[in-house]
Amino acid sequence: MNQHKKINYSNLFQSYGTIIAGLMVILVFSLLRPDAFFTVRNLINISRQISLQVIIAIGATLIMAVGEFDLSIGALASLGGVIAAKMSVAGVPLVFCFLAPIVICFVIGWINGWIVTKFNVLSFVTTLGMSTILAGFTFWITGGSTVFQNIPKTFSYIGSKNLLSIPYLSIIMLVFTFIFWFVMRHMTFGRKLYAIGGNVTAANVSGIHVQKNKKLAFAICGSMSAITGVLMASRLGSAHPTGGDSFFLPSYAAVYLGSTVFKEGIPNIWGTFVGAAILGILANGLTILQVPTYIQDILTGTIIILAVIAQKIGRGAAQ
Amino acid sequence: MLLQTASISKQFNGISALKNIHFEIEAGEIHGLVGENGAGKSTLIKILSGVYSLDSGQIIWNGQPVEIQNPYQSHQLGITVIHQDRNLIPSFSGIENAYLGLDYETRNAGLRIDWKKMRRRVEDKAVDLGIEIDFSLPASALSPSQRTMLEIVRAMMTDCRLLILDEPTASLTDKESELLFDTIQRLKERNTAVLYVTHRMDEIFRLTQRTTVLKNGEMVGTVLTKDVDKEKLIGLMTDNWTSEKMEIRKEFKEMLLTVTHLRSKDQSVRDASIDVHSGEILGIFGLGGSGRTEFLECIYGLRRIEAGTVLLENVELKNHTPAQSLKSGLVLICEDRRGMGLVTNLSLKQNIVLSTIDEYAQIGIVNEKKELSDTKEKIDEFGIRTEGPNQPVSQLSGGNQQKVVFARALLSRPKVLLCDEPTQAVDVKTRAEIHRLLRQLAEAGSGIVFVSSDLSEVLSVADRIVVMAGGRTGDHIENDGITAEQILSICYQD
């Protein structure tokens, strides 16, 4: 037992390297712009900025845990936002405006999973196709233009208001992170997803319903995308037919970055949270420093690659 | 002396895997390497082949100290390893596989690949070694023994001075093994050194001149094989542990599993029937390609069935999935434990409870206290050598991995346990433990189906024996005075 503890200490940097790097980023920004960066107001601001990214990346984490890929999350978010906005314009009660996209995208996600598991199609290809289909639908519904006229004021409430000066969006993000951390860590569903992701044949032989669990993972991922889209529409008070697309790549960046946190190489919820947070903090800090966005992109991409390389090197040394 | 190791040592996470190994092998020698699971055989091989670097000590090659830091350097010296899990690219032809790691032959100033020349060179080499396989076929179309032969051809394409064979006969039938032994003898005559790693003692005595014994990462010694016998050698490996003879039963309780005229969709199983009683160990013996593995997979619901019935306690299983089989009390232990048995990146604990995870949960939330205590109990019960319940199973030795597979199977309280080669690549002691365990399970009322390509093992364990050949099963024979020759004669009838 004693020996076991020692090993943990020696692996400290390897296990928490990404977090340490994240803290260093915060430190640097704080030193450079103490007046603007490290303030309560800005931290709250950051938490709102990353909230949507975290929520959608949680869905992507489930998909990655099960060893698949979902390229349609951006298109699902766009669709979700547009459906909610359109329904609210039509005068549908707000609850249904928010619930309907979540249910619809759950079904679409389920269909993704069904195609992948039933016909053994690569999820990469399936969801690429689905993404294109959804983009077409969204364009059809909206005629290609942003939905913003006649949206009731109450629609924007949840996306823009605070509870005791903390944005609802940030609270929702934390609630989802906690729930899914619990699901993935302490519930059979999460265990089964990790088993399937680790060795799908062995999971099947061990009596795990591979197809059912995969479909459920895709469906939940669809719902999380829809929630992101709806909240985005609520925050902006409008819905753009490609508004969710920009979430897609950063989501996987967050998951990959996150898989370097805590557990080596395995997608996990708090890791994804930290990954999205690091990306958000970078964007925020660099903007405060008035670094042009194209330089931000270059830096962000470099950091993602370096984090993954650092982890691989760490693991190699450990063996 | 071709190769010597001067007191090499290797540690993992502060635990010694190899300590002060003084090993040597001469050119033209067939040298056996034996030891229980976890004795350090694999570690030694991996150091020689450059997969692991050593912590201390030295490797001396042809009298010169050398450093082997990666597989390429090892290969450059002339060391080739042929593993249990073969390193071939399934979709590549035999010729392409033989040329893996070599520059392809070219013509027209290197612009075109000279397939003819490549084929000729590969085939010449094969003739030279007395190996007959069709090199135009993709590796996936070859039988296990042919794949081993293909790997030997590949090893010999370059100047291989030391060939390391790791459990080469694990998935071969007796007849295929004979072919392999001939080839090994031919290599010896060509002055190639062969390091032969196996759990099968008969092969050690048949092939080797000297044998090195490892135990718990330390070297027990190197002996002249002709100076020792089987008991002596096993004694060196295990501190003079002796095996016990199993008792064969003739009377059983009620019928548990009846399979009649089963045919698989892919026709690998054509017409197979068995019945298994409570309290019985039914042995299925079949050569490679007899459909024995596929048969078990059909029963378990892993492979599609075209015709026939599976009755478990008089209830028919139809279009069943593994999950359903498991729920009704039918459990399969796969031959391929790394590929199909375990989720190797997950912990011991998570693997052990994998099949029964739902029983540990209420409204989907896992009771982790019970999970942990049950795991610890199983670790003790099976004597699994591990750092603890949270160690990834990938870090366990083969025998301990198999114990994890068994622990998981037993947690689901099987009525009928289907075991496919459960003692493959497992040391003699674990093997006997598994045999005893199966007998205990049978005594407690389960029915056991025991599939093996090791005839002597089937004869020593099974109460009744079914011979399988060409996807068909024969009669149930009582294991009472029947001899190996009689069984084999049934196999080779057609």
Side-chain angles (χ1 to χ4, degrees):
Chain A
M1 267 291 140
N2 250 337
Q3 205 164 14
H4 201 70
K5 271 205 173 135
K6 231 194 246 163
I7 295 159
N8 280 346
Y9 282 125
S10 71
N11 286 348
L12 187 74
F13 188 79
Q14 192 205 332
S15 299
Y16 298 102
T18 309
I19 291 182
I20 295 169
L23 291 175
M24 273 161 62
V25 169
I26 293 175
L27 187 71
V28 169
F29 285 136
S30 305
L31 290 175
L32 287 175
R33 292 298 300 274
D35 50 323
F37 182 78
F38 204 73
T39 62
V40 173
R41 219 182 110 181
N42 190 43
L43 290 184
I44 288 175
N45 195 18
I46 291 175
S47 80
R48 186 176 49 227
Q49 285 168 354
I50 64 171
S51 58
L52 298 176
Q53 187 62 67
V54 168
I55 295 168
I56 197 168
I58 286 173
T61 310
L62 263 64
I63 296 294
M64 294 280 295
V66 81
E68 299 287 354
F69 217 76
D70 188 345
L71 298 180
S72 62
I73 56 173
L76 281 162
S78 302
L79 179 69
V82 163
I83 292 175
K86 273 272 175 194
M87 283 173 75
S88 75
V89 170
V92 178
L94 214 53
V95 182
F96 295 112
C97 296
F98 285 3
L99 278 182
I102 298 173
V103 174
I104 291 169
C105 291
F106 186 90
V107 174
I108 296 170
W110 185 274
I111 295 171
N112 271 335
W114 178 73
I115 297 170
V116 169
T117 53
K118 178 83 185 176
F119 303 104
N120 248 330
V121 186
L122 282 181
S123 57
F124 203 88
V125 181
T126 308
T127 56
L128 179 65
M130 184 57 84
S131 179
T132 314
I133 294 172
L134 295 178
F137 260 112
T138 311
F139 194 91
W140 190 3
I141 298 170
T142 59
S145 53
T146 307
V147 186
F148 66 98
Q149 278 169 327
N150 305 321
I151 291 183
K153 274 223 172 81
T154 47
F155 185 82
S156 301
Y157 186 83
I158 203 157
S160 54
K161 291 287 188 278
N162 301 335
L163 179 73
L164 304 171
S165 77
I166 297 173
Y168 277 118
L169 289 179
S170 308
I171 295 169
I172 294 172
M173 162 186 77
L174 287 174
V175 168
F176 272 127
T177 307
F178 186 80
I179 291 174
F180 277 95
W181 163 76
F182 189 83
V183 168
M184 294 303 279
R185 177 74 184 74
H186 294 288
M187 295 188 69
T188 53
F189 177 60
R191 296 288 191 84
K192 288 174 185 173
L193 293 192
Y194 281 128
I196 294 167
N199 183 344
V200 65
T201 319
N204 184 32
V205 171
S206 306
I208 286 174
H209 294 280
V210 172
Q211 304 204 349
K212 193 179 92 185
N213 284 293
K214 268 194 185 179
K215 278 184 279 195
L216 201 52
F218 273 102
I220 291 173
C221 180
S223 283
M224 295 305 283
S225 307
I227 290 168
T228 307
V230 170
L231 290 176
M232 180 179 56
S234 169
R235 185 180 167 193
L236 300 174
S238 66
H240 190 268
T242 59
D245 296 9
S246 60
F247 285 117
F248 160 57
L249 283 173
S251 293
Y252 286 98
V255 178
Y256 274 113
L257 205 52
S259 68
T260 67
V261 184
F262 308 126
K263 270 188 186 170
E264 25 182 293
I266 298 173
N268 62 95
I269 299 293
W270 279 111
T272 299
F273 178 85
V274 172
I278 290 177
L279 295 179
I281 290 166
L282 272 175
N284 176 280
L286 292 171
T287 307
I288 288 176
L289 291 176
Q290 293 178 327
V291 175
T293 47
Y294 53 86
I295 300 286
Q296 289 187 22
D297 287 345
I298 293 170
L299 280 174
T300 309
T302 311
I303 285 170
I304 293 167
I305 293 173
L306 284 181
V308 181
I309 291 175
Q311 189 215 11
K312 293 275 178 198
I313 292 172
R315 214 188 311 177
Q319 282 190 356
Chain B
M1 200 62 60
L2 179 69
L3 173 100
Q4 274 178 299
T5 69
S7 71
I8 56 173
S9 301
K10 177 75 187 170
Q11 292 194 338
F12 294 107
N13 292 335
I15 296 165
S16 222
L18 277 185
K19 227 187 283 175
N20 278 331
I21 304 296
H22 293 272
F23 167 79
E24 56 172 49
I25 186 166
E26 282 179 75
E29 178 191 7
I30 304 177
H31 194 114
L33 180 62
V34 296
E36 290 186 83
N37 289 313
K41 301 183 303 276
S42 310
T43 312
L44 180 60
I45 296 172
K46 283 181 176 160
I47 284 175
L48 294 180
S49 58
V51 177
Y52 295 152
S53 56
L54 38 81
D55 292 343
S56 63
Q58 211 162 31
I59 299 172
I60 296 150
W61 181 258
N62 278 327
Q64 299 288 323
V66 288
E67 287 200 18
I68 304 177
Q69 280 165 341
N70 53 47
Y72 179 77
Q73 286 178 345
S74 167
H75 198 242
Q76 287 299 101
L77 287 176
I79 301 175
T80 304
V81 187
I82 298 183
H83 282 291
Q84 290 158 280
D85 19 308
R86 298 177 181 77
N87 291 312
L88 294 171
I89 299 180
S91 61
F92 275 24
S93 73
I95 293 168
E96 287 169 293
N97 268 302
Y99 264 89
L100 277 185
L102 294 177
D103 288 328
Y104 279 19
E105 309 288 343
T106 53
R107 58 202 174 105
N108 297 357
L111 286 174
R112 292 178 61 186
I113 296 173
D114 192 343
W115 291 108
K116 262 190 199 145
K117 190 172 172 197
M118 281 167 66
R119 167 177 284 270
R120 204 167 51 237
R121 272 203 59 197
V122 172
E123 283 175 350
D124 284 353
K125 190 57 81 176
V127 170
D128 217 18
L129 296 165
I131 290 171
E132 283 175 36
I133 43 178
D134 184 349
F135 287 96
S136 58
L137 292 175
S140 56
L142 299 176
S143 72
S145 66
Q146 289 174 325
R147 282 182 227 155
T148 306
M149 298 298 179
L150 176 54
E151 285 212 67
I152 291 177
V153 171
R154 178 170 71 192
M156 291 301 143
M157 292 295 291
T158 53
D159 187 26
C160 175
R161 311 301 320 282
L162 170 60
L163 182 68
I164 303 175
L165 293 164
D166 188 2
E167 292 278 349
T169 56
S171 54
L172 302 191
T173 59
D174 289 352
K175 204 171 151 196
E176 291 169 337
S177 299
E178 289 299 323
L179 287 171
L180 178 68
F181 297 157
D182 287 347
T183 310
I184 292 173
Q185 291 295 353
R186 217 162 281 137
L187 293 176
K188 172 181 156 60
E189 283 154 24
R190 295 162 54 105
N191 218 23
T192 306
V194 177
L195 179 60
Y196 195 89
V197 187
T198 188
H199 288 302
R200 298 187 174 172
M201 293 299 130
D202 302 345
E203 294 172 5
I204 291 288
F205 289 100
R206 166 138 190 211
L207 292 169
T208 68
Q209 284 80 58
R210 289 192 297 170
T211 301
T212 294
V213 183
L214 296 181
K215 191 178 73 189
N216 294 330
E218 291 178 52
M219 184 144 164
V220 178
T222 299
V223 294
L224 284 173
T225 309
K226 64 174 167 45
D227 290 349
V228 289
D229 57 13
K230 193 168 165 179
E231 276 66 41
K232 179 87 193 298
L233 209 50
I234 292 175
L236 288 174
M237 286 161 55
T238 61
D239 285 329
N240 294 315
W241 162 94
T242 49
S243 68
E244 42 196 294
K245 180 81 185 131
M246 298 279 277
E247 222 177 292
I248 303 296
R249 301 290 146 115
K250 282 186 191 169
E251 277 164 33
F252 319 113
K253 286 169 246 162
E254 76 276 10
M255 182 78 81
L256 284 178
L257 176 74
T258 318
V259 182
T260 37
H261 302 300
L262 204 72
R263 187 166 73 234
S264 69
K265 220 157 208 151
D266 58 10
Q267 307 297 322
S268 54
V269 180
R270 288 166 184 278
D271 180 7
S273 309
I274 51 165
D275 50 64
V276 190
H277 302 81
S278 167
E280 175 184 22
I281 300 181
L282 176 73
I284 300 182
F285 173 75
L287 305 165
S290 61
R292 52 191 180 172
T293 296
E294 293 80 358
F295 182 38
L296 291 194
E297 287 177 355
C298 284
I299 301 175
Y300 190 57
L302 206 56
R303 190 175 284 265
R304 301 276 294 277
I305 297 172
E306 191 175 83
T309 51
V310 178
L311 284 178
L312 184 67
E313 289 186 308
N314 288 320
V315 180
E316 185 172 0
L317 297 176
K318 254 195 152 166
N319 294 326
H320 52 300
T321 61
Q324 285 159 339
S325 301
L326 213 99
K327 224 171 163 189
S328 16
L330 189 62
V331 177
L332 171 68
I333 288 179
C334 290
E335 181 180 8
D336 177 7
R337 66 176 158 260
R338 279 189 208 92
M340 297 176 77
L342 295 164
V343 186
T344 51
N345 67 341
L346 291 186
S347 68
L348 201 104
K349 181 178 75 183
Q350 295 200 38
N351 271 285
I352 285 183
V353 300
L354 196 58
S355 290
T356 43
I357 187 75
D358 287 321
E359 291 175 27
Y360 283 90
Q362 273 186 325
I363 52 165
I365 300 168
V366 181
N367 178 347
E368 279 162 53
K369 256 194 200 144
K370 181 154 193 311
E371 186 188 24
L372 187 66
S373 68
D374 278 13
T375 305
K376 283 184 173 158
E377 200 177 284
K378 287 291 169 207
I379 290 176
D380 291 343
E381 186 185 333
F382 286 85
I384 301 171
R385 279 182 56 180
T386 169
E387 287 171 13
N390 291 318
Q391 190 180 17
V393 282
S394 58
Q395 293 175 1
L396 300 184
S397 70
N400 281 308
Q401 287 181 345
Q402 187 69 326
K403 286 179 181 176
V404 173
V405 173
F406 265 96
R408 182 179 68 211
L410 296 200
L411 269 179
S412 54
R413 292 177 297 276
K415 288 173 194 151
V416 176
L417 185 63
L418 311 166
C419 315
D420 194 2
E421 300 273 5
T423 59
Q424 180 178 310
V426 155
D427 63 73
V428 276
K429 208 160 140 194
T430 309
R431 189 172 145 121
E433 280 169 14
I434 289 174
H435 291 165
R436 210 168 332 148
L437 178 80
L438 293 177
R439 180 51 75 193
Q440 279 168 10
L441 277 174
E443 309 262 281
S446 296
I448 313 286
V449 179
F450 181 90
V451 169
S452 177
S453 57
D454 183 340
L455 187 47
S456 59
E457 187 182 16
V458 176
L459 284 168
S460 70
V461 173
D463 299 320
R464 293 188 302 159
I465 296 171
V466 171
V467 175
M468 194 155 179
R472 292 167 213 278
T473 51
D475 297 329
H476 292 61
I477 310 161
E478 291 219 359
N479 184 11
D480 188 11
I482 189 163
T483 64
E485 287 72 29
Q486 284 170 295
I487 300 270
L488 278 174
S489 67
I490 303 173
C491 287
Y492 293 119
Q493 251 170 9
D494 308 316

